[in-house]
Structure formats: structure tokens, C-alpha cells
Amino acid sequence: MGVLGSGKGSNFVAIADAIAAGKIPAEIAVVLSDVESAGILAHARDRQIPAQFVPPGKFRTKLEEAAEHAFVAALQNAQVDLIVLAGFMRVLKGDFLRAFAGRIVNIHPSLLPSFPGLEGWKQALDYGVKVAGCTVHFVDAGVDSGAIIGQQTVPVRDHDTAETLHARIHAAEHELYPKCLAALARGEIAVAGRRVIWKNP
Ligand code: GAR
């Protein structure tokens, strides 16, 4: 697997710990980030996993073409089979999606299709929903719109702030993502259009 992230890397840590514990039959070959100071790079280096900052170029929400090619090249050099987005905050476009069609997964901090885009947990809180959660899905050309692999719910409590709700969702992510990746790595996931079927739920 190749893991891409822009932030602190708590999902990366949960995944790496699950691999170390023998729960996911996979290996993380490389970690890439568009943010030089991202915690995810430090966590990877702590675990002796190759970690690289790739400058994203001049745009704020997507990669510049040269950067996209640099990401693809680094992932191909590492011979990854699956791209795992773990808090990667840029939308992936054409060449990247074509290079790894059907082999990119993402975790999003809301119950999709509600609250795609930025700060899903804050959107959920502001909307007033009573149940929130997280979603693992395949990545397609839209924003958080690919076929859903797994979801986990958490309650929204009356006194929640954006921070307390995000912390509860983060904890759910740390359970859901390793579970979904284990099923993918074991070949237990079948895709039929938008429906993702678990062979051993
Ligand atoms: C996670 O909550 C993840 O769902 C979110 O960023 C956070 C990364 O945390 N991703 C997105 O919002 C993608 N649109 P982490 O760096 O601690 O894993």
C-alpha cells in the first residue's frame, strides 16, 4: 500500500499498528505528503517506512500537473497495489485516477453522501444531525462520491463541540479503516457498480 496524507497521521498510525499486529495482510511501501511538516511523515519515519514530501505546486485544493506526475512516479516506484488516502486534503484528478483506477480508497469524516468536502464533522454538527460517523469509499472523479466500502456511526451529543465530535469520529475511523483495508487485502471485497459486497462480513 502507498499512504497519502496531509495531517497528523492518526489514521496512518492505526493502519500501521493493525499491520504490525497481523490484522491486515499488507505492507506500507511508502508514505507521501503534500505538507512538509505533516505528522504523518514523522510517524512513518519513526516506523522506518519510506516517507517523502512531494511539493504540490501552486493550487490549494488539487495537485499541479508536475506534482501529480511526481506522486504517481513515487507510488509506481514503490510498486504499490492500493493507494490509501488518510487525511489527504487535495482532490485527485485525471492522470492520477487513470494510473490507479479502482485502486484508491479514502476515509471521510461523515456518513456520505451527507456532508462531503471539508470538515464533515462540523457540517454535521451545524446541520443538527443526531448520528454522525465516517465512511471508507473508493475514489472516483467526484468529491467523496465513490462506491462506499464501509461506514461507522457515532452519536452526536447535546454538548458536543466540533472538537469533541471530531475526536469521537476519529476514534471510529481508527476502527473502520483497518477493518476495511483488511477485507480489501484479503480479497474479500467485490464491487458491483455502486454496491460493495463483503464476502465475509
Ligand atoms: C480524518 O478525520 C479524515 O477523515 C479527514 O482528515 C482527518 C485526518 O486525520 N479526511 C478528510 O477530511 C478528507 N476529505 P489524521 O491525519 O489524524 O489521520
Side-chain angles (χ1 to χ4, degrees):
M1 308 191 308
V3 181
L4 270 55
S6 311
K8 63 180 185 163
S10 68
N11 278 288
F12 163 77
V13 169
I15 294 162
D17 286 351
I19 290 173
K23 293 180 184 158
I24 308 174
E27 182 190 331
I28 299 172
V30 69
V31 173
L32 303 176
S33 182
D34 57 327
V35 177
E36 197 162 16
S37 60
I40 191 170
L41 291 176
H43 282 302
R45 291 181 184 126
D46 283 349
R47 287 167 169 73
Q48 276 80 48
I49 294 171
Q52 195 186 326
F53 161 62
V54 181
K58 60 175 180 279
F59 304 115
R60 216 168 42 85
T61 58
K62 63 175 186 176
L63 295 171
E64 209 172 89
E65 202 177 323
E68 188 172 78
H69 291 159
F71 270 89
V72 170
L75 292 162
Q76 285 173 340
N77 284 341
Q79 297 185 302
V80 303
D81 299 308
L82 185 71
I83 314 297
V84 175
L85 306 184
F88 189 66
M89 300 311 284
R90 287 170 193 270
V91 178
L92 296 172
K93 302 277 183 188
D95 282 351
F96 194 110
L97 298 179
R98 272 188 292 279
F100 302 105
R103 296 190 290 138
I104 312 171
V105 295
N106 180 45
I107 188 149
H108 181 76
S110 77
L111 295 174
L112 292 170
S114 292
F115 316 125
L118 292 178
E119 298 187 323
W121 67 90
K122 194 166 178 303
Q123 295 184 53
L125 193 66
D126 291 347
Y127 193 93
V129 295
K130 300 296 186 192
V131 178
C134 52
T135 303
V136 173
H137 62 94
F138 285 106
V139 173
D140 65 10
V143 175
D144 303 321
S145 57
I148 290 172
I149 301 168
Q151 294 188 299
Q152 192 156 321
T153 61
V154 304
V156 179
R157 304 216 188 273
D158 288 347
H159 300 293
D160 264 336
T161 62
E163 289 70 33
T164 58
L165 180 58
H166 192 201
R168 197 172 305 122
I169 291 173
H170 245 136
E173 291 183 341
H174 301 158
E175 291 177 15
L176 180 68
Y177 218 174
K179 202 168 87 183
C180 291
L181 292 172
L184 277 164
R186 293 199 184 101
E188 294 174 354
I189 295 286
V191 183
R194 283 210 57 89
R195 304 207 46 201
V196 174
I197 313 298
W198 289 58
K199 294 180 188 162
N200 282 315

